[in-house]
Amino acid sequence: QQQVKQSPQSLIVQKGGISIINCAYENTAFDYFPWYQQFPGKGPALLIAIRPDVSEKKEGRFTISFNKSAKQFSLHIMDSQPGDSATYFCAASKNGANNLFFGTGTRLTVIP
Amino acid sequence: GEEVAQTPKHLVRGEGQKAKLYCAPIKGHSYVFWYQQVLKNEFKFLISFQNENVFDETGMPKERFSAKCLPNSPCSLEIQATKLEDSAVYFCASSQGDTQYFGPGTRLTVL
């Protein structure tokens, strides 16, 4: 049973465009929602994370939007660059001490 | 150290052989997690430790998998009698709070 559902599976965006990746969860006990970026052959690296007490968090070109009532959250990458081409994973956990439940990943390609 | 270190980078085993993977968490982090990433990108949680104690082992296939985190030693994940389906990248992560920091992974190939 997939606890965190992620879409789309792949995404192609023009340089300078906005990349949007969506995730949904069922378990209302989740209270920490990170996004990870993974390049081929590397481990996932934390990009940005949010807790459900806020509806939006922005760090540079990356923004998480969070909708607690809909149990959905999304990652927006503004002014997408070719260097952003990677696989992005959303995740959720019950608190920092507990394991992450990952989405299935979105392969982002930013074309020049 | 400031990064999670994992060794070896690659490991090739024949079916039925033993495989042992190592992880050095970031100094000062109390929690260590092991995840398995299979070819379809799916991450599966295996086990976590709080210091040297098992915190959560709900994801471990206990018949063949075991793990340890002993004081002053790298953490280890051992697979006895590997099977073809164990082929995956195994990631270790450590944390002291919310953020889990991942190592570069060990790619296990079972032939």
Side-chain angles (χ1 to χ4, degrees):
Chain A
Q1 183 190 359
Q2 190 71 30
Q3 297 234 16
V4 179
K5 296 182 180 176
Q6 183 171 348
S7 63
Q9 193 172 4
S10 63
L11 183 61
I12 300 174
V13 172
Q14 290 270 4
K15 179 183 173 181
I18 302 173
S19 304
I20 302 174
I21 305 170
N22 301 298
C23 285
Y25 64 98
E26 286 298 323
N27 191 338
T28 54
F30 288 148
D31 67 354
Y32 176 68
F33 302 89
W35 284 89
Y36 281 85
Q37 179 189 56
Q38 186 179 29
F39 292 103
K42 304 291 184 185
L46 179 73
L47 204 55
I48 187 171
I50 199 168
R51 286 200 169 273
D53 53 346
V54 296
S55 60
E56 187 175 281
K57 183 174 181 180
K58 185 175 179 178
E59 288 182 3
R61 295 185 295 111
F62 302 95
T63 300
I64 299 180
S65 297
F66 188 86
N67 186 330
K68 189 174 180 178
S69 60
K71 291 186 284 186
Q72 293 175 348
F73 58 111
S74 60
L75 175 70
H76 291 63
I77 305 174
M78 313 299 286
D79 186 26
S80 299
Q81 299 296 313
D84 296 331
S85 296
T87 301
Y88 292 81
F89 292 90
C90 61
S93 72
K94 292 173 192 175
N95 66 48
N98 287 286
N99 63 287
L100 293 167
F101 292 90
F102 282 89
T104 49
T106 296
R107 187 170 182 172
L108 171 65
T109 303
V110 181
I111 51 178
Chain B
E2 293 300 316
E3 293 182 341
V4 176
Q6 288 189 250
T7 55
K9 195 167 184 176
H10 296 106
L11 192 56
V12 180
R13 289 288 179 265
E15 213 175 356
Q17 291 186 316
K18 186 172 73 174
K20 195 164 185 179
L21 292 62
Y22 296 92
C23 167
I26 293 172
K27 198 173 181 181
H29 283 192
S30 303
Y31 291 91
V32 172
F33 304 80
W34 284 98
Y35 295 89
Q36 179 194 55
Q37 186 179 30
V38 294
L39 287 176
K40 287 188 176 179
N41 273 339
E42 290 186 22
F43 283 90
K44 181 189 172 189
F45 166 71
L46 296 174
I47 190 169
S48 62
F49 289 83
Q50 182 179 16
N51 298 310
E52 63 265 26
N53 304 307
V54 174
F55 186 76
D56 181 352
E57 57 181 348
T58 52
M60 280 288 267
K62 290 182 186 174
E63 319 81 58
R64 298 181 298 108
F65 285 60
S66 63
K68 293 179 188 175
C69 273
L70 300 176
N72 303 313
S73 295
C75 296
S76 63
L77 177 69
E78 189 168 349
I79 310 172
Q80 302 282 347
T82 52
K83 295 184 177 181
L84 296 176
E85 65 256 32
D86 298 331
S87 293
V89 181
Y90 291 82
F91 287 102
C92 170
S94 71
S95 76
Q96 186 63 14
D98 289 333
T99 303
Q100 292 186 25
Y101 296 88
F102 283 76
T106 292
R107 179 175 294 279
L108 172 64
T109 302
V110 181
L111 303 174

